[in-house]
Amino acid sequence: MSLFKKSCFWCLLAVLFIGSAQAQKVVSFQDSHIRATGRIAYKGDHSVLYYSGTSLEVNFTGTSVKALLKDERGENYFNVIVDGKTVVLHPDTVKQLYTLATGLPAGNHTLQLYKRSEWSDGNTNFYTFQFDENVTILPPPALKTRAIEFYGNSITAGYAIEDFSGRDSYLSRYKNNYLTYAALTARHYNAQWSFIAKSGIGIVVGYYPLNMPEIYDRLDPMDANSKWDFTKYTPQVVVINLFQNDAGVIQSGSGSLFEARFGHTPPTEDFIINAYKNFVKSLRAKYPNASIICALGSMSACKPGSVWPVYIQKAVTQLNDKNIYSFIFTYKGTPGHPNIKEHQAMADELIGFIDKTVKW
């Protein structure tokens, strides 16, 4: 039985519709006892979770916990991590109260609600956590002193990471950002995290109509008028892992997205390098003191002989900033997106590079 099927066997032990007669202690979406991580919007009576890896954490006593949620399209999946043990939650498009854990032993417990899937799978509204009336809500997890942020594509989002069939499926059930190299790296350093990742996205062109430089500063990634306040989160380390999709589209030399950007004339090397440099400059303007790692991999764009690592290395050299680095992952040399083992190998490589290069 696959990991996903095992998880789903345990997930959603109970789904309770609104209106339970049992007395409840309610912790609202904006309660200070909740530790929120990632770019989250606060609207009316709920918060909105868009990005892969967006997380809500709460500490409590008692034997059960529920959450009131509503998914935009019913395509998102969450890891529910209680005392280090994980089950999978698949919220519906109807506003419902879900039992996240029940039958817990008496004592203190930790819960993390972690968005596995990406914004292309829709957003999720979070309203409240609910507990039995006699429960004590404990102080939130301490704010981590280290902070890291990733800008990436499907690799960083966790595309097909749990598709053990080898079909490299696009379905959201097989995505799991929690197991990616990016999330593994953040947890290794006990750091806060933020993942701005979208399958198919590029720097100059990709398999998605918008490029990362056009959406990187958004709170709601689907709304050009929704801007993120960069003062709310200041990472010491920023990792960019893009160009895989640029490489694929430009190599094809055709298609509607290619033609919308370039007509029938491929972009020059200088154009590509300057576009990359301009994106890095945009991030440098937001984070003047951060170490910025310009990475690539571990799919075909970084295979031996590829020009795309060279583009990144030239861009970094031309930027002439002692805290901007190039880092190329080892080409994995297997079909499809990285699997769990390959993501661990990527994390090990990146952690080794950060250990040697970055001063937190």
Side-chain angles (χ1 to χ4, degrees), residues 136-147:
T136 300
I137 310 303
L138 302 171
L143 186 64
K144 297 174 173 63
T145 56
R146 289 176 169 178

Side-chain angles (χ1 to χ4, degrees), residues 26-325:
V26 176
V27 177
S28 78
F29 69 99
Q30 55 189 351
D31 193 289
S32 61
H33 288 89
I34 297 174
R35 172 72 66 218
T37 301
R39 295 185 185 181
I40 297 176
Y42 295 88
K43 299 182 178 181
D45 64 346
H46 64 278
S47 56
V48 186
L49 283 63
Y50 306 102
Y51 296 88
S52 309
T54 308
S55 169
L56 303 171
E57 298 175 82
V58 64
N59 296 332
F60 63 97
T61 66
T63 60
S64 66
V65 56
K66 306 176 183 72
L68 187 59
L69 302 167
K70 180 180 182 296
D71 198 64
E72 180 182 11
R73 300 203 301 267
E75 297 178 10
N76 278 302
Y77 288 81
F78 287 77
N79 287 340
V80 180
I81 306 166
V82 180
D83 300 335
K85 298 179 180 179
T86 302
V87 296
V88 177
L89 173 69
H90 182 198
D92 200 353
T93 56
V94 177
K95 185 179 179 182
Q96 297 183 24
L97 189 62
Y98 295 87
T99 296
L100 305 182
T102 190
L104 298 172
N108 297 347
H109 301 287
T110 63
L111 179 142
Q112 182 180 21
L113 185 63
Y114 186 104
K115 194 170 187 287
R116 297 163 53 107
S117 42
E118 56 184 312
W119 85 65
S120 59
D121 304 308
N123 56 58
T124 305
N125 292 348
F126 169 79
Y127 298 87
T128 60
F129 284 125
Q130 297 188 21
F131 305 85
D132 293 339
E133 191 173 26
N134 60 349
V135 160
T136 300
I137 310 303
L138 302 171
L143 186 64
K144 297 174 173 63
T145 56
R146 289 176 169 178
I148 190 168
E149 185 161 68
F150 288 80
Y151 292 85
N153 49 40
S154 54
I155 300 171
T156 304
Y159 183 102
I161 193 172
E162 289 191 359
D163 182 5
F164 304 111
S165 71
R167 291 190 297 267
D168 207 40
S169 174
Y170 70 92
L171 294 174
S172 57
R173 70 183 66 177
Y174 300 116
K175 299 174 184 177
N176 188 356
N177 169 267
Y178 191 82
L179 297 179
T180 63
Y181 78 96
L184 292 169
T185 299
R187 292 198 297 277
H188 172 84
Y189 289 110
N190 192 30
Q192 302 174 63
W193 62 88
S194 175
F195 308 116
I196 314 303
K198 169 70 180 72
S199 294
I201 205 162
I203 291 281
V204 298
V205 69
Y207 300 98
Y208 180 69
L210 298 176
N211 292 326
M212 185 61 78
E214 295 164 339
I215 63 90
Y216 83 100
D217 61 348
R218 296 183 184 182
L219 172 55
D220 178 348
M222 301 298 292
D223 182 358
N225 296 315
S226 176
K227 295 301 183 182
W228 171 244
D229 180 357
F230 282 86
T231 66
K232 291 185 175 181
Y233 184 74
T234 305
Q236 296 105 344
V237 176
V238 175
V239 180
I240 304 166
N241 188 0
L242 293 163
F243 263 174
Q244 175 64 42
N245 295 309
D246 305 73
V249 174
I250 291 174
Q251 183 177 0
S252 73
S254 62
S256 59
L257 294 174
F258 177 93
E259 291 170 8
R261 296 281 178 179
F262 311 119
H264 298 285
T265 305
T268 64
E269 175 179 314
D270 285 345
F271 178 90
I272 295 169
I273 292 172
N274 285 331
Y276 193 93
K277 285 165 52 181
N278 287 337
F279 178 57
V280 178
K281 287 178 182 178
S282 296
L283 291 177
R284 169 56 80 218
K286 303 297 184 184
Y287 306 129
N289 299 315
S291 294
I292 300 177
I293 299 172
C294 300
L296 180 62
S298 59
M299 295 175 68
S300 59
C302 72
K303 66 183 179 181
S306 170
V307 298
W308 295 89
V310 177
Y311 293 162
I312 290 176
Q313 290 159 352
K314 286 185 176 181
V316 169
T317 298
Q318 292 173 23
L319 285 165
N320 192 28
D321 182 324
K322 63 183 179 65
N323 288 321
I324 298 177
Y325 312 92

